[in-house]
């Protein structure tokens, strides 16, 4: 099978198990989970990379009739994402009847063009016939590409669901580095700031051989300082020597200049930890680096 990649938005009423399912699929705890609705206020992206391809998940806020400004904002965020993705993963729970909230959501979904995968979750709570009944009621109201019955809590049905998602995704290259599970855009801006200083401070052969990957952006407790660590990748040992400089002077200069820029971006003090690593011929091997525009 050819490599697939694309964006999947997870939608559904609050508390049906979207975050639990996302974490099961990606295998890492990323989305904030709780038993309170509206824990998830923003689009959270998670990335799943496997031999079949790459899925970028968006865990939207629960779609519901807005009651205030925040609710309006959240609904708008959720709805915009619906038409911008390759697949919608619509999660419902098997253990409650379809009520007004679900119907509100169904009315919205009926107008969306994106293919929908229906995931009937929490089958550990009910008889299979009840779960099937929920599924057929939903399928009488919207067009569904595939249906899966799951227990996100126990991981039941999750592997089958993932295969089904891949089947609906277009062919394409990975968008994100393997091993990366979340996408905080500031990481890439920070990486670009560092790379920019390298371009300023070094000679011709260096710029095109350099990629910067930000590993960590971590606020320090009880202070206004954010710890940032980044790796500067070069292709040869000689280039590593140039980036580090005599007695580490060059790296220090790169770090100081980049730090000022990052401080402006994040509005806090930055502790910048820079590492230089040689990764032979990375330009030919790592599709993801090209995708991020790290090279010309
Ligand atoms: P979200 O609001 O849709 O993101 O829902 P959450 O993932 O935060 O889950 C809401 C609650 O449902 C949590 O208490 C979960 O533990 C629970 N939950 C999620 N999936 C399942 C499941 O498959 N079975 C059962 N019994 N509970 C689940
Ligand atoms: Mg959630
Ligand atoms: K929740």
């Amino acid at each position: 099978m050819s490599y697939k990649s694309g964006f999947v938005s997870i939608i559904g009423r609050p508390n049906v198990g979207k975050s639990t399912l996302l974490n099961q699929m990606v295998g890492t705890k990323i989305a904030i989970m709780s038993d309170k609705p509206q824990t998830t206020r923003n689009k959270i992206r998670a990335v799943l990379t496997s031999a079949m391809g790459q899925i970028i998940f968006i865990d939207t806020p629960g779609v519901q009739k807005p009651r205030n400004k925040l609710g309006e904002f959240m609904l708008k965020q959720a709805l915009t994402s619906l038409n911008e993705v390759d697949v919608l993963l619509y999660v419902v729970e098997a253990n409650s009847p379809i009520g007004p909230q679900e119907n509100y959501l169904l009315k919205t979904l009926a107008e969306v063009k994106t293919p929908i995968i229906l995931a009937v979750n929490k089958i550990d709570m009910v008889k299979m016939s009840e779960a099937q009944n929920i599924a057929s009621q939903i399928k009488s109201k919207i067009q569904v590409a595939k249906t899966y019955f799951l227990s996100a809590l126990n991981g039941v049905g999750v592997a089958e669901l993932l295969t089904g998602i891949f089947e609906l995704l277009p062919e394409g290259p990975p968008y994100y580095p393997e091993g990366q599970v979340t996408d905080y855009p500031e990481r890439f801006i920070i990486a670009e700031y560092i790379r920019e200083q390298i371009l300023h401070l070094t000679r011709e052969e260096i710029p095109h051989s350099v990629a910067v990957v930000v590993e960590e952006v971590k606020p320090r407790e009880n202070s206004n300082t954010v710890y940032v660590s980044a790796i500067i990748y070069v292709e040869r040992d000689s280039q590593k020597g140039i980036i580090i400089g005599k007695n580490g002077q060059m790296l220090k200069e790169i770090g100081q200049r980049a730090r000022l820029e990052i401080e402006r971006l994040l509005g806090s003090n930055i502790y910048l930890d820079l590492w230089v690593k040689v990764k032979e011929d990375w330009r030919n091997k790592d599709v993801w680096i090209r995708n991020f525009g790290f090279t010309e």
Side-chain angles (χ1 to χ4, degrees):
M1 201 170 89
S2 48
Y3 202 86
K4 304 285 197 78
S5 63
F7 293 81
V8 175
S9 189
I10 306 176
I11 50 163
R13 281 191 300 114
N15 282 333
V16 294
K18 299 180 295 297
S19 298
T20 308
L21 178 58
L22 175 67
N23 290 331
Q24 274 287 356
M25 289 188 291
V26 179
T28 319
K29 205 168 170 167
I30 306 154
I32 306 159
M33 282 182 291
S34 85
D35 52 5
K36 287 190 228 81
Q38 302 204 353
T39 307
T40 315
R41 288 239 164 103
N42 286 302
K43 290 186 195 176
I44 297 174
R45 287 186 189 184
V47 183
L48 174 83
T49 308
S50 84
M52 281 186 267
Q54 188 170 73
I55 308 173
I56 297 117
F57 288 107
I58 301 166
D59 182 29
T60 60
V63 174
Q64 52 189 314
K65 250 193 190 131
R67 266 176 253 135
N68 51 35
K69 269 267 180 288
L70 176 64
E72 275 171 39
F73 168 76
M74 288 171 62
L75 178 64
K76 205 166 152 225
Q77 256 195 326
L79 293 182
T80 344
S81 70
L82 301 187
N83 277 309
E84 288 173 350
V85 294
D86 299 298
V87 171
L88 289 182
L89 179 53
Y90 174 32
V91 185
V92 299
E93 56 183 9
N95 61 329
S96 57
I98 291 172
Q101 255 195 340
E102 201 74 65
N103 278 320
Y104 180 79
L105 181 50
L106 281 163
K107 230 188 295 167
T108 313
L109 287 178
E111 287 165 30
V112 174
K113 296 275 185 295
T114 312
I116 296 170
I117 293 183
L118 174 62
V120 183
N121 189 32
K122 306 194 186 181
I123 54 163
D124 54 293
M125 308 277 283
V126 299
K127 286 202 205 92
M128 199 53 197
S129 59
E130 281 176 62
Q132 273 158 348
N133 181 30
I134 296 276
S136 23
Q137 284 182 61
I138 284 166
K139 284 193 273 191
S140 73
K141 295 182 181 188
I142 56 165
Q143 209 182 329
V144 165
K146 292 164 188 278
T147 305
Y148 294 90
F149 296 91
L150 320 165
S151 171
L153 197 61
N154 305 323
V156 172
V158 173
E160 293 81 356
L161 170 64
L162 283 173
T163 305
I165 293 173
F166 276 120
E167 280 167 9
L168 291 182
L169 289 185
E171 281 178 28
Y175 293 89
Y176 294 93
E178 194 177 333
Q180 181 176 324
V181 284
T182 56
D183 160 24
Y184 296 106
E186 75 247 29
R187 284 183 187 225
F188 307 113
I189 301 167
I190 290 170
E192 279 299 279
Y193 282 178
I194 296 165
R195 202 175 70 98
E196 196 181 5
Q197 294 310 325
I198 297 169
L199 301 195
H200 276 309
L201 294 168
T202 62
R203 284 165 190 274
E204 280 149 36
E205 75 144 342
I206 295 295
H208 303 294
S209 323
V210 157
V212 179
V213 174
V214 172
E215 296 271 287
E216 234 182 310
V217 180
K218 208 158 116 195
R220 286 208 162 135
E221 267 174 48
N222 308 319
S223 82
N224 183 33
T225 302
V226 178
Y227 171 83
V228 175
S229 75
I231 301 173
I232 299 167
Y233 285 107
V234 292
E235 290 185 299
R236 286 191 294 278
D237 267 314
S238 60
Q239 296 165 340
K240 182 176 174 177
I242 294 169
I243 299 270
I244 291 174
K246 213 177 170 189
N247 300 321
Q249 274 305 313
M250 179 59 91
L251 190 61
K252 202 169 161 193
E253 182 75 20
I254 293 165
Q256 274 169 356
R257 291 183 180 219
R259 184 173 53 81
L260 293 177
E261 296 289 322
I262 302 164
E263 284 183 342
R264 210 173 306 156
L265 172 76
L266 298 183
S268 42
N269 301 324
I270 298 297
Y271 184 95
L272 183 59
D273 211 1
L274 285 182
W275 300 84
V276 185
K277 283 189 187 170
V278 178
K279 202 174 184 185
E280 261 175 56
D281 216 13
W282 63 258
R283 274 188 284 177
N284 296 323
K285 285 176 193 152
D286 295 77
V287 183
W288 58 269
I289 291 171
R290 289 201 298 280
N291 285 333
F292 275 130
F294 282 125
T295 67
E296 69 283 3

